[in-house]
Amino acid sequence: MIIIVTGTDTGVGKTVTTAALAIRCGAGTIVVKPAQTGVGPDEPDIAVVRRLAGCEVAEFTRLEDPLAPDTAARLRGVDIPPIREYAERIRELATHRTVLVEGAGGLLTRLDTDGGTLLDLAAELAPVQVYIVTRVGLGTLNHTELTVNALRARGLEPVGLVLGCVPGSLDLAEERNLTELPRVTGVPVAAAIPEGAGLLAPEQFRARTEAWFDGARVTARHEVR
């Protein structure tokens, strides 16, 4: 099985969501980051996943600058693999186990210098399960609908929305969006992950993961915290 984790934007909580999904998928799961940019002194996304979930990870391309992968590659004159090569490697890994693929930025962020995107990769790997990580604040309805529509235009139906970085105290827009997001997209909310979850100790993170995916917890403000 192959699962794709995308987001409506950068910084919405894809990495923490990927770690939580890896825990739910169980032993033998491997998490793949096709392209990692902004490699520096901070802990890279794939290392965060390994620390929180304790699963096997793989990173195919690493680029120094904190830019979209194709932009970072062009800046440095670096050749990076095309989407089809990423797809071949992921298929090989998925022969006997679950592979979770975390994208970079949003769905249409280019992963190679030929214009290939995570959407192209998902279509190449289909059938796949796709989770969309989104914010709960003002502006999220438009961003989330655009992402859902882009997937559907390629024949890919997302299996769930994940509300990333949910604050403990919700304003009016955030509170309303808990129900508006599934209403306007037609996609169920699969999980609500609280702000700061990635800072938890691994054992605490793993212990709380199942509760974040409990559907009843995403329908009421006081239960999202």
Side-chain angles (χ1 to χ4, degrees):
M1 179 170 63
I2 300 173
I3 299 172
I4 306 287
V5 181
T6 189
T8 54
D9 197 355
T10 190
V12 295
K14 292 189 301 294
T15 299
V16 172
T17 295
T18 300
L21 283 167
I23 292 167
R24 294 197 89 217
C25 289
T29 299
I30 182 170
V31 171
V32 171
K33 184 82 173 179
Q36 174 68 59
T37 62
V39 175
D42 295 334
E43 187 178 30
D45 292 350
I46 207 72
V48 173
V49 171
R50 182 170 50 207
R51 172 172 57 81
L52 292 174
C55 63
E56 186 179 349
V57 299
E59 189 179 66
F60 294 162
T61 298
R62 305 189 81 198
L63 297 159
E64 178 182 352
D65 301 286
L67 303 166
D70 71 323
T71 306
R74 291 177 190 280
L75 178 64
R76 300 289 176 178
V78 175
D79 290 327
I80 57 178
I83 287 296
R84 67 177 181 276
E85 290 188 19
Y86 289 142
E88 289 170 3
R89 294 181 68 179
I90 291 167
R91 282 196 200 95
E92 288 179 11
L93 290 172
T95 303
H96 300 294
R97 55 180 165 175
T98 298
V99 179
L100 272 161
V101 181
E102 182 190 349
L107 189 64
L108 299 184
T109 298
R110 288 173 170 79
L111 299 182
D112 65 23
T113 49
D114 295 329
T117 67
L118 182 66
L119 179 57
D120 295 319
L121 180 60
E124 178 78 17
L125 292 168
V128 293
Q129 293 185 9
V130 182
Y131 286 90
I132 301 171
V133 187
T134 186
R135 306 181 195 278
V136 294
L138 199 62
T140 191
L141 298 181
N142 179 61
H143 297 158
T144 308
E145 282 194 83
L146 287 171
T147 302
V148 169
N149 289 344
L151 284 163
R152 286 175 175 158
R154 297 290 290 273
L156 298 167
E157 181 63 28
V159 296
L161 305 176
V162 176
L163 311 180
C165 304
V166 179
S169 178
L170 305 179
D171 62 24
L172 178 61
E174 292 165 339
E175 186 171 1
R176 294 303 307 158
N177 285 338
L178 296 180
T179 53
E180 287 297 289
L181 278 164
R183 184 186 72 81
V184 302
T185 63
V187 180
V189 174
I193 299 181
E195 191 174 48
L199 300 177
L200 292 170
E203 60 273 14
Q204 293 177 309
F205 185 90
R206 296 168 197 174
R208 298 181 188 182
T209 292
E210 197 59 40
W212 299 333
F213 283 84
D214 179 354
R217 291 180 176 270
V218 301
T219 59
R221 169 178 165 178
H222 69 278
E223 289 185 292
V224 172
R225 298 176 198 165

